[in-house]
Amino acid sequence: MTNKVIRIFKIINAIQSNPGITATDLAFRCDVALRTIYRDLDMISHFAPVTNEGRGTGYRFLGKFFQYPLDFSEQEALAFSLLPSVLNPDKIPPGFHTAYDKVMGTHLKEKSKQNGILENIADIIQMGKPAYRKESRNFLQPIIGAILEQRSIRTIYHSQSRNTTTEREIDPYYLIPRGQRFYLIGYCHVKGAVRTFRMSRFQQVEVTDSCFDKSGFNIRSYLKHTWSINRGNKYIRFKVRFSPEVARYIKEEELFVHPRMSDGQDGSLLFEVTVNNANEFMKWILQYGPNAEILEPLSARAELQLQLEQWVGLYQ
């Protein structure tokens, strides 16, 4: 068993170093029969994309597969760390322990390097802090790590709308930047559904050993018709005319929605879009003041007119 493990690593390294190497060459390097190499290659194919395109072409790995740097999951690292304890000491060949130490050393080095990269990313991306809270921990690093490794997080989260603090387990899917803050979109085990969480409202974050699969989740479908970050359930079609002074800036907006835009002869821009949260869209419109005129729906136009009258009354 020990010899087989070592041989598997030797075959993987040989294919990486010599893409297109033949089974005969592999058998010579490993000093085993050709049929043994074929059995080993069949086993490797279950966890690595090894391929042979035809007679005489040899073996290579598809795509970007590469054994170094090692990409052990926590479970794989634990299993590999226990390997020496389950082997018969009398049957371990010379060189096994030094080879084993090199593999584990490489894993720990790469793990440390990855953590260092995440720390640098968290330092580079500066996040705002709630005005009422003097000290606020930045959980960007552990959450990015959990997203990359597809591991659930255990959290304490404050919901501002209900003014409650709850313990939750979340499968983190994506980080979405909006304004001066980040939002986490993930599956909440408490609610049994995908939810959106504001990063600054996390009071505690712990990465767990539980893994998840987000392959069935499509971020663009989830945010379709969502103007900013908060999803609504009532679809409203807006038609807005932007003045020539701001038209070119509107075209630069990076959106999840797909507006219809048409240029006016005077340089203005007609902007049509369907959203599921009218309040978020109205807040966005307000920043352009008189350079943005809501044409439809009439109810939104009347609502904005009422707001303007209230503002005028406030400052009289």
Side-chain angles (χ1 to χ4, degrees):
M1 178 62 183
T2 305
N3 290 336
K4 186 172 185 178
V5 172
I6 296 174
R7 190 171 65 248
I8 291 294
F9 274 109
K10 186 179 291 187
I11 292 172
I12 291 174
N13 289 328
I15 295 175
Q16 287 179 167
S17 304
N18 304 275
I21 189 171
T22 65
T24 302
D25 287 337
L26 289 171
F28 176 77
R29 291 189 179 207
C30 297
D31 194 24
V32 293
L34 191 60
R35 60 184 178 184
T36 300
I37 291 296
Y38 286 135
R39 284 197 297 266
D40 291 342
L41 288 168
D42 181 65
M43 175 181 292
I44 293 172
S45 68
H46 286 83
F47 63 85
V50 64
T51 183
N52 181 295
E53 297 178 355
R55 185 177 180 85
T57 58
Y59 291 87
R60 64 183 67 247
F61 290 118
L62 291 174
K64 297 181 180 180
F65 174 83
F66 204 74
Q67 186 63 25
Y68 180 86
L70 295 172
D71 191 21
F72 282 158
S73 67
E74 291 299 319
Q75 186 177 23
E76 290 170 338
L78 176 61
F80 195 79
S81 67
L82 296 174
L83 182 60
S85 64
V86 299
L87 299 177
N88 188 335
D90 296 332
K91 295 184 178 180
I92 296 179
F96 171 80
H97 288 292
T98 55
Y100 175 85
D101 289 342
K102 288 179 181 178
V103 172
M104 288 304 297
T106 298
H107 166 65
L108 295 175
K109 181 180 179 180
E110 291 302 319
K111 197 70 175 176
S112 175
K113 180 180 178 181
Q114 182 186 43
N115 290 335
I117 292 173
L118 291 182
E119 287 179 3
N120 290 335
I121 290 175
D123 288 338
I124 291 170
I125 301 175
Q126 292 297 303
M127 298 171 58
K129 298 182 184 297
Y132 66 88
R133 202 188 310 168
K134 292 184 179 180
E135 295 297 330
S136 178
R137 286 193 60 190
N138 185 350
F139 294 112
L140 197 59
Q141 178 191 345
I143 288 180
I144 291 177
I147 292 173
L148 292 174
E149 295 181 1
Q150 295 194 175
R151 292 166 60 187
S152 302
I153 57 175
R154 191 173 295 111
T155 74
I156 295 178
Y157 184 76
H158 181 77
S159 178
Q160 193 76 344
S161 60
R162 292 185 296 275
N163 196 26
T164 57
T165 301
T166 56
E167 294 185 12
R168 299 170 184 253
E169 184 171 334
I170 301 168
D171 298 340
Y173 290 168
Y174 292 95
L175 279 176
I176 305 292
R178 288 291 184 269
Q180 299 181 45
R181 58 188 68 95
F182 275 95
Y183 294 87
L184 173 67
I185 293 179
Y187 180 83
C188 176
H189 289 259
V190 172
K191 299 296 183 181
V194 176
R195 290 288 187 267
T196 301
F197 304 92
R198 183 165 157 173
M199 284 284 291
S200 62
R201 292 177 184 158
F202 285 113
Q203 298 181 0
Q204 183 175 320
V205 172
E206 175 191 354
V207 182
T208 73
D209 294 329
S210 300
C211 297
F212 65 87
D213 181 8
K214 68 174 181 181
S215 59
F217 179 78
N218 187 298
I219 185 64
R220 297 203 171 272
S221 296
Y222 181 78
L223 291 178
K224 186 177 182 180
H225 299 305
T226 300
W227 182 254
S228 180
I229 194 67
N230 294 316
R231 299 168 76 226
N233 50 23
K234 183 180 180 181
Y235 294 98
I236 302 175
R237 181 78 176 177
F238 279 90
K239 183 183 291 186
V240 182
R241 180 189 292 116
F242 290 97
S243 70
E245 288 75 16
V246 300
R248 63 182 182 275
Y249 299 111
I250 301 302
K251 293 178 181 179
E252 286 185 337
E253 288 283 352
E254 299 177 14
L255 311 169
F256 277 99
V257 299
H258 298 285
R260 178 183 176 184
M261 296 183 288
S262 53
D263 296 315
Q265 293 183 351
D266 61 349
S268 62
L269 179 70
L270 187 62
F271 187 96
E272 300 176 75
V273 67
T274 298
V275 297
N276 56 29
N277 189 323
N279 290 335
E280 287 197 334
F281 185 77
M282 292 285 283
K283 289 178 181 178
W284 178 73
I285 287 293
L286 284 172
Q287 68 180 309
Y288 291 101
N291 287 312
E293 179 187 3
I294 297 177
L295 304 178
E296 296 178 8
L298 295 179
S299 58
R301 185 181 177 92
E303 180 183 339
L304 184 55
Q305 183 178 2
L306 178 60
Q307 285 188 32
L308 293 175
E309 290 173 353
Q310 291 174 340
W311 287 358
V312 170
L314 183 64
Y315 288 97
Q316 283 181 343

